[in-house]
Amino acid sequence: MKTVNTTPFTDQRPGTSGLRKKTRTFMQPNYLENFVQSVFNTVREDVPEGFGRETLVVGGDGRFYNREATQKILRMAAANGFGRVLVGRESILSTPAVSAVIRRRAALGGLVLSASHNPGGIDADFGIKYNVRNGGPAPEGITERIYQHTLSIKEYSTIEHPDLELDKDGTARLGDTEIVIIDPLLDYTAVLEELFDFAALRALFQSGFRVQFDAMNAVTGPYAQHILEQRLGASAGSVINGTPLPDFGGHHPDPNLVHAAELVAHMNAADAPDLGAACDGDGDRNLILGRKFFVTPGDSLAIITEHAQSAIPGYGAGLAGAARSMPTSTAVDRVAAALGVPCYETPTGWKFFGNLMDAGRCTICGEESFGTGSNHVREKDGLWAVLCWLSILAKTRVSVESVVQDHWARFGRSYYQRHDYEGLEVGPATEMIGALRAKLPTLTGVPVAGSSIAVADDFSYTDPVDGSVSAKQGIRILLADGSRIVCRLSGTGTEGATLRIYVERYLKDGGKADIEEVLAPLAQEARELLELRERTGRDEPTIVT
């Protein structure tokens, strides 16, 4: 073991999904090591007996610098006295798989090497986050302590040892630490098999049902090939772009209608499969498509919640509750009300759902940013969502579009869009949000888009489990007719600022109206309230989802 002297970096405050920076930033001498040692120092404060009997899980999405970072972490974990480290073969573990391994193997926690849906490569993005014993992202109290350690760190511990062979299952030793290279598919597949009726899904594919799954040259390729093609019997080639690549093939691994253009083209073709789906870089987000039909994340969450008890054996006993992030459409609220279970509105960030699930208050949850999941792990889970839809289609034996239209006929439709303005200058963007925040007390009663403002506030959340308060989580403009405008700056990017404007209007019209006509007035009012053009010079979003 050796101790290396170091000096702090001042930019290592974790965001909603850990620490994300440009890859070259992480490649600086001591940058990754400082953060990892700060994690270990923080966690050790809660484990006074030390790490000798504890297990750490390490894995990532295969992006550039994943392997090098893994080797550094293994040497540091050994120097810090961990009894055992479980690392995915080839340093691969999807984010939901890390959560599954932590929970099934009773690990102390895990380090996830990923920048999620952000591009990969030496000139793109890298990230790392710490997941705690429940399998979910570290809560704010822990991430703040990690940050404070990064500001005062003076040294880190490592050992001198050649890189380990990580491409084959097996065990090795680093000092007194056992390093176990595990099959990255094993624990995750076992968790899904406990929830879903694999025999019914095999019967669905045997009936001629076809699926197209786009892994976007990211981590879910091996998982989808194993589960969809090998275990469930989807035809060979159902998984496209299935080989994880360090730069994701030069593409942006974000499963939306723009970046999943190849899949969208498949689903718009005359001979389109029955279901189209995609997952992002680390496997926690999902896109669901029918033939020439897009299922919004909010509708997908609501429909999974609606059908879970009848279509998925793992939820046959019913749901304890549902939850959504504040910007997510209110569609799931109406389903929860019909089921007679609570529905919680939380800030953005999966860790807020973790408390609810650990307390037995929530079973299914989701965010508008293409993330859905349940209490089987403590992360959003892209392939889980795909299997939910396969189960719903196996039960109903109708098309994706028909499932959604039946939902709208019963519950009404939340017409909903997210407008992203990417690459804004941080200063003006922050000032713009601050100016709107200052105007909130004066907005009640102001006419907007054919209605008037009933509530204008900056969302604050008091956790019903531990009483913690999270303030300034996004500006809400709630109209008297139930429509909503939400504005927030995203915390998941690595360059500039991203403004997200969410617009929603609920109509009980069977979902037949034109979404652009319904939402255009709200989007225009949002831009005017923000003084967007005047403050940023921008008037058109980078992407609309």
Side-chain angles (χ1 to χ4, degrees):
M1 188 181 89
K2 69 174 182 177
T3 299
V4 180
N5 294 327
T6 189
T7 55
F9 295 89
T10 60
D11 63 345
Q12 293 192 328
R13 182 189 290 276
T16 57
S17 295
L19 181 66
R20 294 182 187 172
K21 300 290 180 181
K22 290 299 180 185
T23 306
R24 291 187 187 274
T25 298
F26 272 99
M27 294 172 70
Q28 297 176 86
N30 297 350
Y31 192 89
L32 174 76
E33 292 89 339
N34 275 23
F35 187 78
V36 172
Q37 187 65 58
S38 295
V39 171
F40 292 161
N41 291 347
T42 301
V43 177
R44 186 179 283 109
E45 294 169 349
D46 300 323
V47 188
E49 65 274 18
F51 296 146
R53 297 184 178 181
E54 300 290 357
T55 297
L56 179 72
V57 179
V58 180
D61 59 15
R63 69 178 57 233
F64 188 89
Y65 199 56
N66 192 332
R67 284 176 174 263
E68 295 87 344
T70 297
Q71 297 285 356
K72 290 182 178 183
I73 291 168
L74 295 180
R75 288 191 282 266
M76 291 184 66
N80 278 270
F82 276 93
R84 186 170 65 151
V85 180
L86 306 178
V87 57
R89 186 177 60 238
E90 299 179 3
S91 189
I92 290 287
L93 277 173
S94 73
T95 291
V98 170
S99 185
V101 173
I102 291 172
R103 292 172 65 79
R104 284 176 62 85
R105 308 287 187 105
L108 173 65
L111 288 167
V112 185
L113 303 175
S114 174
S116 189
H117 55 292
N118 294 6
I122 193 170
D123 293 314
D125 300 338
F126 192 79
I128 181 172
K129 70 173 179 176
Y130 180 67
N131 281 26
V132 295
R133 198 182 291 274
N134 77 346
E140 288 183 324
I142 292 178
T143 57
E144 180 60 27
R145 287 162 55 197
I146 292 171
Y147 175 59
Q148 293 304 320
H149 274 288
T150 69
L151 297 177
S152 60
I153 190 170
K154 296 180 180 179
E155 61 186 30
Y156 64 85
S157 298
T158 186
I159 62 173
E160 293 184 346
H161 195 281
D163 285 354
L164 296 178
E165 169 59 60
L166 301 180
D167 291 346
K168 296 179 181 179
D169 296 358
T171 62
R173 296 205 72 83
L174 281 178
D176 294 328
T177 300
E178 181 185 35
I179 308 295
V180 185
I181 298 91
I182 63 171
D183 182 341
L185 311 177
L186 189 64
D187 292 87
Y188 178 76
T189 302
V191 169
L192 295 188
E193 198 162 21
E194 292 168 359
L195 290 174
F196 296 98
D197 185 344
F198 273 32
L201 298 183
R202 281 192 289 269
L204 177 68
F205 285 113
Q206 288 167 359
S207 73
F209 185 94
R210 293 185 297 140
V211 66
Q212 184 90 87
F213 180 90
D214 189 349
M216 307 191 84
N217 293 124
V219 76
T220 53
Y223 292 88
Q225 288 166 343
H226 176 67
I227 294 171
L228 296 179
E229 295 185 6
Q230 298 170 21
R231 295 297 305 279
L232 299 181
S235 59
S238 293
V239 177
I240 60 174
N241 300 315
T243 302
L245 300 175
D247 65 348
F248 306 118
H251 299 300
H252 194 145
D254 193 354
N256 59 45
L257 296 176
V258 174
H259 297 307
E262 181 180 354
L263 176 67
V264 172
H266 276 295
M267 297 308 297
N268 286 339
D271 61 343
D274 300 282
L275 175 69
C279 288
D280 70 330
D282 67 330
D284 62 357
R285 301 182 185 217
N286 71 91
L287 169 68
I288 301 295
L289 300 170
R291 294 191 185 100
K292 300 181 180 179
F293 192 84
F294 165 56
V295 184
T296 69
D299 280 341
S300 182
L301 170 62
I303 289 165
I304 290 171
T305 304
E306 177 188 358
H307 290 273
Q309 186 172 358
S310 63
I312 305 170
Y315 309 108
L319 309 181
R324 62 169 175 84
S325 65
M326 181 273 287
T328 301
S329 89
T330 58
V332 71
D333 300 40
R334 294 182 285 276
V335 173
L339 294 175
V341 300
C343 186
Y344 299 90
E345 182 182 42
T346 75
T348 297
W350 210 258
K351 54 195 170 187
F352 295 103
F353 296 139
N355 265 7
L356 296 171
M357 291 187 285
D358 285 349
R361 295 181 180 223
C362 168
T363 305
I364 292 178
C365 49
E367 296 181 337
E368 48 72 33
S369 54
F370 295 82
T372 38
S374 88
N375 60 354
H376 68 292
V377 290
R378 294 297 184 269
E379 292 277 8
K380 45 187 174 276
D381 188 347
L383 266 178
W384 169 88
V386 176
L387 265 62
C388 285
W389 271 92
L390 287 171
S391 300
I392 292 167
L393 297 172
K395 181 74 173 180
T396 61
R397 295 290 173 157
V398 298
S399 68
V400 171
E401 182 176 2
S402 293
V403 168
V404 178
Q405 289 178 339
D406 289 345
H407 172 82
W408 289 339
R410 179 181 177 190
F411 292 99
R413 180 180 179 184
S414 281
Y415 290 87
Y416 179 92
Q417 286 179 339
R418 186 181 90 187
H419 296 217
D420 285 8
Y421 294 80
E422 298 176 348
L424 301 178
E425 292 184 40
V426 174
T430 303
E431 291 172 4
M432 176 176 63
I433 289 292
L436 178 57
R437 184 177 289 120
K439 290 191 295 188
L440 293 177
T442 70
L443 294 180
T444 302
V446 171
V448 167
S451 184
S452 62
I453 297 176
V455 176
D457 66 7
D458 200 344
F459 181 58
S460 179
Y461 176 71
T462 300
D463 193 298
V465 178
D466 63 19
S468 62
V469 177
S470 300
K472 295 186 177 180
Q473 295 296 311
I475 293 172
R476 301 188 302 177
I477 308 294
L478 311 181
L479 306 189
D481 67 356
S483 300
R484 299 195 309 157
I485 297 170
V486 174
C487 306
R488 59 184 295 270
L489 293 179
S490 171
T492 60
T494 63
E495 189 171 7
T498 296
L499 169 70
R500 288 183 172 150
I501 299 174
Y502 312 83
V503 288
E504 177 180 7
R505 173 158 279 164
Y506 172 68
L507 297 174
K508 198 164 178 56
D509 64 350
K512 304 299 184 183
D514 181 84
I515 189 170
E516 297 294 339
E517 292 181 7
V518 170
L519 295 179
L522 286 171
Q524 180 60 35
E525 292 281 5
R527 290 192 290 269
E528 292 177 5
L529 285 168
L530 284 161
E531 302 174 354
L532 185 63
R533 176 184 284 277
E534 295 85 344
R535 292 180 176 275
T536 70
R538 299 274 290 276
D539 197 31
E540 295 298 325
T542 310
I543 187 171
V544 176
T545 54

